[in-house]
Amino acid sequence: KAGVTQTPRYLIKTRGQQVTLSCSPISGHRSVSWYQQTPGQGLQFLFEYFSETQRNKGNFPGRFSGRQFSNSRSEMNVSTLELGDSALYLCASSLGQPGNTIYFGEGSWLTVV
Amino acid sequence: AQSVTQPDIHITVSEGASLELRCNYSYGATPYLFWYVQSPGQGLQLLLKYFSGDTLVQGIKGFEAEFKRSQSSFNLRKPSVHWSDAAEYFCAVAPLVGAGNKLTFGGGTRVLVKP
């Protein structure tokens, strides 16, 4: 079956703009999580959605937001982009119970100039 | 707060030699433990995970990991490394209960394989 699909794979934005990233989880998975990966900070948890509700949130400013649709697809949005938002954004999906295997997509590379 | 430490940022190993990557965690109770691998420009692939039971866990690609509760460690090993094992490896923990599917990652260990 298809894995976690993220779009777009690569994008370049200008400081001050906003961006929306999309994630389609594995079929049947109800939990979608987002992570930011940078060389300086490593992999950091942004938030998790389960059945359209945000279940967990990391320590990121309010410029970072997300949502999940009834088909479990998820989007994350970053407003008022800063240079430091340049990163690989990874989406992950799972069945949603503790200990379930968490599967990652290939990520969306965001460059802010 | 929970944390995961991977003491080695880089490791260089010769092809055919053994590999051991260290991981230590700080947590209130034994969490779920995972090892992921990331090839350049790619997402994360799960190598193995530990929940309970046998402390030696077998994973994909010939990897295994040993959980040691007394040392709060979950070290990854491979007896004979292949050139294709060059990648970055991440240890991660998730809580046993509550907190959904939030993974806390270590800083990663980049493995270089010499021919």
Short mmCIF file of all heavy atoms in Angstrom, two decimals, chain B residues 37-45 61 84 86-88:
data_model
loop_
_atom_site.label_atom_id
_atom_site.label_comp_id
_atom_site.label_asym_id
_atom_site.label_seq_id
_atom_site.Cartn_x
_atom_site.Cartn_y
_atom_site.Cartn_z
N VAL B 37 16.58 5.22 10.46
CA VAL B 37 17.71 5.56 9.60
C VAL B 37 17.23 6.53 8.53
O VAL B 37 16.09 6.45 8.05
CB VAL B 37 18.32 4.29 8.95
CG1 VAL B 37 17.33 3.55 8.09
CG2 VAL B 37 19.57 4.65 8.15
N GLN B 38 18.10 7.47 8.21
CA GLN B 38 17.77 8.47 7.19
C GLN B 38 18.90 8.53 6.16
O GLN B 38 20.02 8.93 6.50
CB GLN B 38 17.55 9.84 7.83
CG GLN B 38 17.08 10.90 6.85
CD GLN B 38 16.82 12.24 7.53
OE1 GLN B 38 17.52 12.63 8.45
NE2 GLN B 38 15.78 12.94 7.09
N SER B 39 18.61 8.19 4.94
CA SER B 39 19.58 8.35 3.86
C SER B 39 19.50 9.78 3.35
O SER B 39 18.48 10.44 3.53
CB SER B 39 19.29 7.36 2.73
OG SER B 39 19.42 6.03 3.21
N PRO B 40 20.56 10.28 2.73
CA PRO B 40 20.58 11.68 2.30
C PRO B 40 19.37 12.06 1.46
O PRO B 40 19.02 11.36 0.51
CB PRO B 40 21.88 11.75 1.48
CG PRO B 40 22.75 10.70 2.06
CD PRO B 40 21.82 9.58 2.45
N GLY B 41 18.72 13.15 1.86
CA GLY B 41 17.57 13.64 1.11
C GLY B 41 16.30 12.83 1.26
O GLY B 41 15.33 13.07 0.55
N GLN B 42 16.30 11.91 2.19
CA GLN B 42 15.14 11.02 2.35
C GLN B 42 14.47 11.22 3.71
O GLN B 42 14.99 11.91 4.59
CB GLN B 42 15.60 9.56 2.22
CG GLN B 42 16.26 9.24 0.90
CD GLN B 42 15.32 9.42 -0.27
OE1 GLN B 42 14.19 8.94 -0.26
NE2 GLN B 42 15.78 10.12 -1.30
N GLY B 43 13.33 10.57 3.85
CA GLY B 43 12.65 10.57 5.14
C GLY B 43 13.28 9.53 6.06
O GLY B 43 14.38 9.04 5.82
N LEU B 44 12.57 9.22 7.13
CA LEU B 44 13.08 8.29 8.13
C LEU B 44 12.46 6.91 7.92
O LEU B 44 11.27 6.78 7.69
CB LEU B 44 12.72 8.79 9.53
CG LEU B 44 13.29 10.14 9.92
CD1 LEU B 44 12.66 10.61 11.22
CD2 LEU B 44 14.79 10.06 10.07
N GLN B 45 13.31 5.89 8.04
CA GLN B 45 12.84 4.51 7.93
C GLN B 45 13.07 3.82 9.26
O GLN B 45 14.17 3.88 9.82
CB GLN B 45 13.59 3.77 6.82
CG GLN B 45 13.12 2.33 6.64
CD GLN B 45 13.89 1.60 5.56
OE1 GLN B 45 15.02 1.96 5.22
NE2 GLN B 45 13.30 0.55 5.01
N LYS B 61 17.48 -5.07 7.80
CA LYS B 61 18.82 -4.81 7.25
C LYS B 61 19.92 -5.37 8.14
O LYS B 61 21.06 -4.89 8.09
CB LYS B 61 19.05 -3.30 7.05
CG LYS B 61 18.03 -2.64 6.15
CD LYS B 61 18.41 -1.18 5.90
CE LYS B 61 17.41 -0.53 4.97
NZ LYS B 61 17.82 0.81 4.53
N SER B 84 26.11 0.41 1.77
CA SER B 84 24.78 1.01 1.73
C SER B 84 24.27 1.43 3.11
O SER B 84 23.22 2.06 3.22
CB SER B 84 23.77 0.06 1.09
OG SER B 84 23.70 -1.14 1.84
N ALA B 86 25.77 3.52 4.96
CA ALA B 86 26.14 4.92 5.18
C ALA B 86 24.89 5.78 5.20
O ALA B 86 24.15 5.84 4.21
CB ALA B 86 27.09 5.38 4.09
N ALA B 87 24.64 6.42 6.31
CA ALA B 87 23.41 7.18 6.51
C ALA B 87 23.48 7.84 7.88
O ALA B 87 24.48 7.73 8.59
CB ALA B 87 22.20 6.25 6.45
N GLU B 88 22.40 8.50 8.25
CA GLU B 88 22.30 9.04 9.60
C GLU B 88 21.29 8.22 10.38
O GLU B 88 20.21 7.88 9.86
CB GLU B 88 21.90 10.52 9.58
CG GLU B 88 22.01 11.18 10.94
CD GLU B 88 22.23 12.68 10.87
OE1 GLU B 88 21.90 13.28 9.83
OE2 GLU B 88 22.71 13.26 11.86
#
